Structures are given as structure tokens and as C-alpha cells.
Amino acid sequence: MPHISFPARFVWGAATSAYQIEGACNEDGKGPSIWDTFCRMPGKIDNSATGEITCDHYHHWQEDIAWMKALNLQAYRFSIAWPRILPQGRGDINPSGLDFYDRLVDGLLEAGIQPYATLYHWDLPQALQDAGGWTERCTAEAFTGYTDAVTRCLGDRVKHWMTINEPWVSAFLGHERGVHAPGWQDTGAAVRAAHHLLLAHGWSVPLIRRNSPGAQVGIALDIVPTEPASPSFADELAARREDGLHNRWFLDPLFGRSYPTDIVDDFCRQQAWPEALIQPGDMQAIAVPVDFLGINYYTRAIVRASIPESDNLPPTNQYADPSEWMEGGWADNYPQGLYNLLTRLRDDYPIPPIYITENGASYNDAPDAQGCVNDTRRIAYIESHLQHALRAAQSGVPLAGYFVWSLFDNFEWARGYTMRFGLVWVDYTTQQRIPKASALWYRDGIAAWRAHHHPVA
Ligand code: FCB
């Protein structure tokens, strides 16, 4: 168990998000979100699944906190559903929505678990989408109103905040590739959405600090380490471009370097660079210093240049076949990539403390005849990733904590219920929870770390 080699002040946790676990989509005054809408569009979600019920955490939150406690978690990363708080996205606050998180936070603290709250994990109020969603600047303005409402209520007790989860996914999977809500396929719209998501982040950080004195504030990015499929110049160039689109596009402006010019040039060539996108003060707002950076790591990208269809277009990239895919087929099991990305961040950016805010594996092991879920592959996955994280920490990366994705099996976006990432297995019919072997292993690792670093006097 690699846990005990981590420092005494390390934080061990697990993560979830609102739409993926809460259910209760229409209860207690919650407004519809873009995921409620997207799930009803034919063909968008595997087996036409929805998050209407999922783990029903909205009604099982007390039991769920008991599971967290039983697993020795020190911290729990969850997200707040914007449409529960402001059903129309802005305007009147729905007090029952705030109450739910108020009780959850109190329950966590009573159990000795630190709440790590994400303000936006993709469930935009549909009313804002109807007015253009993230492609419109006013959505970033509405986000500050939402941030204010939430942090005024919870800011006395929640001391770790993340503004936005994975802005690349929200902007590009949602607006360019069309595989996530709202399902658009327009590169220019994705570029606009990305800018407004970053603005929402930048404008919110000072508000959170005002309403939550002493809080640590950050953002969670999905960084994908890129490698050329061969040493050829074309593949090197394609890998650099992929890194620019996915990683530098967010890291550079957050660290005060504005958008990377090679990628801006690409967007201009594709006629996807929106006019008057950046207004005076935007880049300064986005570059507001953060207290920590959240990193979600699942996969690397092996990039091959394909033959350009026209000389005017940059080469399009394809991910080559990685060595070992996890079930579900969008991520490979490449723990070295975590070391590579952490040391790259250390070398290229003036990084604050880093939390690995998500890392985990989809292996669909089910209960055996004795009711045990023996997910040895998940244990091996987490163990090897922790070893590489430790190596990075030992070489100077300021690593502050690690959160497994996910605490529970849950609604996996476009893949519906076909992928299980949980430490805890969920029977979606009966809502029974069964801790998998990986949950018990993680629990014992934290106990050993605690006994080593914090022996009870
Ligand atoms: C990440 C998301 C998270 C979950 C995992 C598997 O991109 O942030 O909600 O779906 O992937």
C-alpha cells in the first residue's frame, strides 16, 4: 500500500458530481438542467439512460456519509447543482435547494469529513441554455450570482472550493463534438464557451474569498499528456497541437500567458475565432491567482498526424491505439502519464499546490455469489497511479491530496450506466450499496497512513 509514503498533511478523498449521483431531478423546486434535456434527445445516451434517479443520493445522503466515514475518507469532493439553487439560472433563490447542501455539509463535518465543493460540474440551468448558454458572456455573469448565493450560505463551513470542472469537456465535448450537453457541433461556439467558462472562474474567485474567509479556491482541469505516435516531424507537430487544444488552451491563460498563439492561429484558419471575444480586463480576470490546481487524470493521448484534406487546414489528429484500454474504451491505463503530466506542470508553470481531484477506472466487476465485488484491477490501477504520483511528489511537485473517481458507481454521462467507476457498487434497482474490494483496500491504506503519521497519543 503506497499510502503511508505520502506526507502527514496529505488529504485522502473520493469524488462525485451532482447530476451523476443525486437523482431527484424534479424535486423541491429544482429547475431543469441541460443534462435533463440532453438525456431526452434520442440516441445521445447509451440505452437512453438518464440521471433522473441514478444513486438517489438526494434521499440517501445520510447513509452515503456513513459509507464515507466507514471508508476513512478525510475529504469528499462533490458538486452543487446550479438549477437546485437558482431554477432559472439567475434571480430567485430556491431555499430548499440550498437546504440540501446545508444539511450535507453539516453531516460531513459531523462525520469528520472535509467538504470539497465544485460549483459547476456541467449541469447548466436549461433557462440559461435557452438564451445561448456558455456561448454567451451573460452566462458567466449569471455564474457569479450563483457563486455568491452558494458561498454566502456555505462559505462559513466549506473551506475548499472549485469553480469549474473540466472546462475543456464542457466547451469542446459539449459544443464542438456534440457528445455532451448541449450537443452542439460548432468549433467557434466551443471557443466562445471555453472563454466564458474561464471568465466565470476568474470572476468568481474573489467573490468566494469574500464570502468564505480563509478558503482555498481552485479549478479542476482534465490534463491529457500527449505523445507523438512516432518521432516524425508531422506527428510531433500534431502532438503539440493536441497539447495546445486540450491543455495549454486552459493552463496558459490561467497562469497569465493568454491563449497560445499557435492554437489561436489554427482557430483563425478554421474561421472559428469569434469576433470581439476578449474584452478589456478578461485575461487579467482569468489569471487571478488560485490557491490550488485540481487535476483530473484518466488517459494520455498518442497523436498521429493524418493527411490534411486541404493545404489550408492543419492536420487533424487521431489517437493511436493505446496499449491497454479500460472498459468503455476512452481511457488507457497508463500510470506513468500521471508522473509525466505532474512533472511537466512543475517545469512549465508556476504551480500552486496540486490536488488530484479525479483519478479512477471503469471496471464493471459485479457481486459474486457471496455478494463480494472483487475488483482487483481497480486496486492495481489506483496503486500504480499512487506510486507515480508519489514519485512526482518526491521530485518536487507540491501534491496536496488525491481523490478517487468515484465514491459510487454512477451515471457516466453519454455512456449512461454502462461504465462503473465506483469504490462502492450500487444496485440501481434497490439502491443497495456494496463496498468493493478496492474500497476496503483504500480504507485500509488510509488507516495505515493515519497510524503511521498521526498515531493516537
Ligand atoms: C471526468 C468527469 C467525471 C467522470 C469521469 C469518469 O471527465 O469529470 O464526471 O465522468 O470523467
Side-chain angles (χ1 to χ4, degrees):
M1 269 178 211
H3 298 66
I4 60 168
S5 308
F6 283 84
R9 287 170 63 85
F10 203 70
V11 174
W12 296 103
T16 63
S17 87
Y19 190 75
Q20 293 180 276
I21 66 161
E22 284 179 2
C25 279
N26 296 310
E27 272 180 57
D28 295 338
K30 175 185 166 288
S33 82
I34 55 175
W35 274 93
D36 293 310
T37 308
F38 193 64
C39 288
R40 282 198 303 268
M41 293 181 186
K44 294 294 186 190
I45 315 289
D46 288 359
N47 306 322
S48 309
T50 76
E52 249 173 282
I53 299 173
T54 180
C55 310
D56 200 22
H57 168 73
Y58 192 78
H59 298 112
H60 289 255
W61 62 272
Q62 284 159 307
E63 176 192 345
D64 291 345
I65 291 176
W67 282 115
M68 296 174 212
K69 194 169 176 183
L71 298 183
N72 286 335
L73 299 189
Q74 295 174 283
Y76 172 52
R77 175 175 180 241
F78 62 99
S79 81
I80 293 163
W82 186 346
R84 280 198 200 285
I85 312 299
L86 296 164
Q88 296 302 310
R90 52 164 71 85
D92 289 340
I93 294 175
N94 170 34
S96 330
L98 271 179
D99 283 353
F100 171 69
Y101 298 104
D102 202 52
R103 289 192 296 269
L104 178 71
V105 165
D106 281 346
L108 288 167
L109 292 173
E110 268 164 40
I113 298 162
Q114 283 302 312
Y116 280 57
T118 305
L119 286 161
Y120 186 70
H121 202 127
W122 308 350
D123 44 357
L124 185 73
Q126 182 61 39
L128 296 181
Q129 185 60 44
D130 294 341
W134 286 111
T135 66
E136 294 298 328
R137 200 176 166 86
C138 57
T139 297
E141 284 156 12
F143 184 77
T144 63
Y146 159 62
T147 298
D148 189 46
V150 172
T151 55
R152 269 175 198 272
C153 172
L154 305 178
D156 56 337
R157 287 155 291 153
V158 174
K159 293 300 172 192
H160 293 86
W161 294 95
M162 281 143 285
T163 51
I164 306 283
N165 181 68
E166 300 190 354
W168 180 84
V169 171
S170 194
F172 288 91
L173 282 191
H175 299 81
E176 183 188 52
R177 303 199 187 167
V179 298
H180 273 202
W184 292 16
Q185 291 184 37
D186 173 348
T187 303
V191 175
R192 290 171 65 87
H195 184 64
H196 298 141
L197 282 155
L198 285 175
L199 262 188
H201 158 78
W203 285 341
S204 294
V205 171
L207 267 179
I208 301 171
R209 292 203 173 115
R210 188 192 70 194
N211 292 342
S212 187
Q216 307 271 300
V217 189
I219 183 170
L221 301 178
D222 56 311
I223 300 297
V224 176
T226 58
E227 298 173 15
S230 81
S232 76
F233 181 71
D235 284 354
E236 296 264 3
L237 202 68
R240 169 135 183 96
R241 177 168 185 264
E242 183 62 24
D243 178 55
L245 282 167
H246 206 120
N247 304 325
R248 288 183 287 123
W249 193 256
F250 297 92
L251 289 164
D252 281 12
L254 287 167
F255 286 103
R257 300 180 190 167
S258 200
Y259 292 116
T261 48
D262 55 332
I263 306 299
V264 173
D265 289 348
D266 269 5
F267 286 138
C268 290
R269 271 200 297 274
Q270 295 173 66
Q271 298 183 331
W273 182 249
E275 264 178 54
L277 178 69
I278 304 175
Q279 300 198 7
D282 283 7
M283 300 319 293
Q284 288 87 332
I286 290 169
V288 59
V290 287
D291 302 299
F292 67 88
L293 188 62
I295 294 295
N296 298 352
Y297 175 67
Y298 292 95
T299 191
R300 69 178 151 169
I302 302 174
V303 185
R304 194 190 302 286
S306 62
I307 300 161
E309 284 156 24
S310 122
D311 285 347
N312 297 326
L313 287 174
T316 50
N317 302 321
Q318 294 168 346
Y319 292 174
D321 288 341
S323 49
E324 194 199 324
W325 290 96
M326 285 190 282
E327 279 170 13
W330 61 264
D332 63 349
N333 180 349
Y334 185 60
Q336 167 83 30
L338 182 56
Y339 173 84
N340 296 349
L341 92 80
L342 290 172
T343 50
R344 180 267 176 107
L345 290 173
R346 177 202 64 199
D347 294 343
D348 289 1
Y349 296 94
I351 44 170
I354 291 184
Y355 287 94
I356 296 166
T357 36
E358 289 181 27
N359 175 235
S362 64
Y363 293 121
N364 290 349
D365 306 285
D368 61 19
Q370 284 73 44
C372 301
V373 184
N374 201 12
D375 58 339
T376 49
R377 291 174 296 176
R378 181 169 290 98
I379 295 176
Y381 178 99
I382 297 174
E383 181 163 36
S384 58
H385 283 75
L386 284 177
Q387 269 151 0
H388 283 275
L390 185 63
R391 237 166 33 86
Q394 286 164 345
S395 70
V397 174
L399 205 59
Y402 177 89
F403 291 77
V404 176
W405 184 272
S406 176
L407 177 58
F408 300 115
D409 292 339
N410 60 44
F411 174 79
E412 178 47 36
W413 309 112
R415 308 308 301 270
Y417 296 100
T418 62
M419 294 169 81
R420 288 179 179 265
F421 277 89
L423 291 172
V424 176
W425 192 82
V426 175
D427 181 327
Y428 296 114
T429 314
T430 62
Q431 292 304 340
Q432 189 192 1
R433 276 87 162 120
I434 300 176
K436 302 178 189 176
S438 58
L440 307 180
W441 173 86
Y442 195 56
R443 173 198 70 186
D444 293 348
I446 300 171
W449 168 87
R450 196 173 269 157
H452 183 74
H453 291 288
H454 305 281
V456 185

